[in-house]
Amino acid sequence: MDKAELLEQVRVRWQRGDPPKAIARALGVRPSVVAPLVKRIAADAQASQGLGKVLGCWVNCGWSIGLGLEKHPEWAELDAYAGEVEGFAQVLVARESRRGRATVRGYLADVHCLGVKNARDPETMDAGHIPGAVRTFYSAFDRPPVEIPIELGRELILGAVHYARELGFEPAGAFDGDAAAFLGDWDGPGQIEFGRDGQPSYLSGPYDNPDAVMRTLMRSAGAGNFQFSVAVGPT
């Protein structure tokens, strides 16, 4: 393929959330060829969207359970009592849009199996209103969120997308190229081992199709290589 076609193929996969190494493998080229193209695409995306510096990034307690982060006891301590939300990362990112103003976007990812389940539209506000937006976004949780580096928030969301795609699951329709670009460029893989204790682990949600998820996991992971639980509602 010529340079223009290669650039477009890289752009499509990058907007889907694929890391550069996976893009290179899929296109049959060296990672050293893809890396500068990804940087160019990311820079173009940020320039076109007017992305500013990161003002803050947050995540709920409970997200790290089962993700192979034993070398990070700070997360084990924070997540020890958050069993009702384990397996889900709710990430909020705030960027400066212009002096005194900010744009925030929120994401919800099933880090044990399905990847991104929701992405909120961007909301612009006075920068002074960010603390209120954070409280609202995490109002359903018993404990306040934790502020984290954008690099970790980026890996949580884009890494979850990549992991889920390898299992055969696409992110929610609201997670488009703009939602991915807002997080910034991700080289992946990082330190997070998605899945629960090394395996996909699915807990059905109220809007899921458990039978379809089971069939997909049987094809991609194989019998005995994943965990599957169907939530039982009140009787």
Side-chain angles (χ1 to χ4, degrees):
M1 68 181 76
D2 60 26
K3 291 183 179 179
E5 184 179 359
L6 176 61
L7 179 63
E8 184 57 28
Q9 290 292 325
V10 172
R11 186 190 309 278
V12 169
R13 286 168 170 77
W14 178 81
Q15 288 179 339
R16 286 177 11 184
D18 293 351
K21 289 182 180 178
I23 295 173
R25 187 166 56 249
L27 298 180
V29 299
R30 297 188 305 276
S32 60
V33 173
V34 169
L37 297 179
V38 166
K39 289 182 179 179
R40 173 182 166 185
I41 292 165
D44 289 345
Q46 292 196 14
S48 66
Q49 295 173 29
L51 294 182
K53 69 177 181 181
V54 174
L55 299 178
C57 181
W58 298 265
V59 70
N60 57 283
C61 295
W63 69 266
S64 78
I65 295 172
L67 298 186
L69 294 175
E70 290 80 7
K71 295 181 180 179
H72 294 268
E74 68 275 15
W75 283 113
E77 182 179 352
L78 284 169
D79 292 345
Y81 307 104
E84 73 276 9
V85 295
E86 69 178 64
F88 289 90
Q90 191 161 300
V91 173
L92 186 69
V93 178
R95 288 185 180 271
E96 185 178 59
S97 54
R98 60 182 184 272
R99 186 177 297 276
R101 299 284 285 173
T103 299
V104 299
R105 295 193 78 140
Y107 306 82
L108 174 65
D110 172 359
V111 294
H112 286 172
C113 187
L114 297 182
V116 172
K117 303 195 73 173
N118 193 24
R120 292 194 177 187
D121 290 335
E123 182 180 358
T124 301
M125 63 187 66
D126 289 337
H129 292 167
I130 291 175
V134 173
R135 287 193 297 271
T136 299
F137 191 64
Y138 293 97
S139 60
F141 293 85
D142 293 333
R143 293 186 291 167
V146 179
E147 189 163 5
I148 58 174
I150 183 60
E151 291 79 9
L152 177 55
R154 180 185 303 134
E155 182 182 350
L156 269 169
I157 300 304
L158 298 183
V161 169
H162 178 66
Y163 177 75
R165 280 201 170 113
E166 290 186 324
L167 295 174
F169 304 108
E170 286 296 313
F175 186 78
D176 56 14
D178 287 345
F182 192 79
L183 294 163
D185 183 24
W186 180 63
D187 291 332
Q191 61 182 332
I192 299 173
E193 298 175 8
F194 291 92
R196 198 186 201 304
D197 300 324
Q199 288 189 332
S201 179
Y202 171 70
L203 174 64
S204 68
Y207 306 108
D208 293 340
N209 183 334
D211 291 338
V213 173
M214 172 70 84
R215 290 193 297 269
T216 300
L217 288 173
M218 287 292 289
R219 289 193 300 268
S220 59
N225 296 319
F226 61 87
Q227 303 169 41
F228 192 98
S229 301
V230 177
V232 178
T235 58

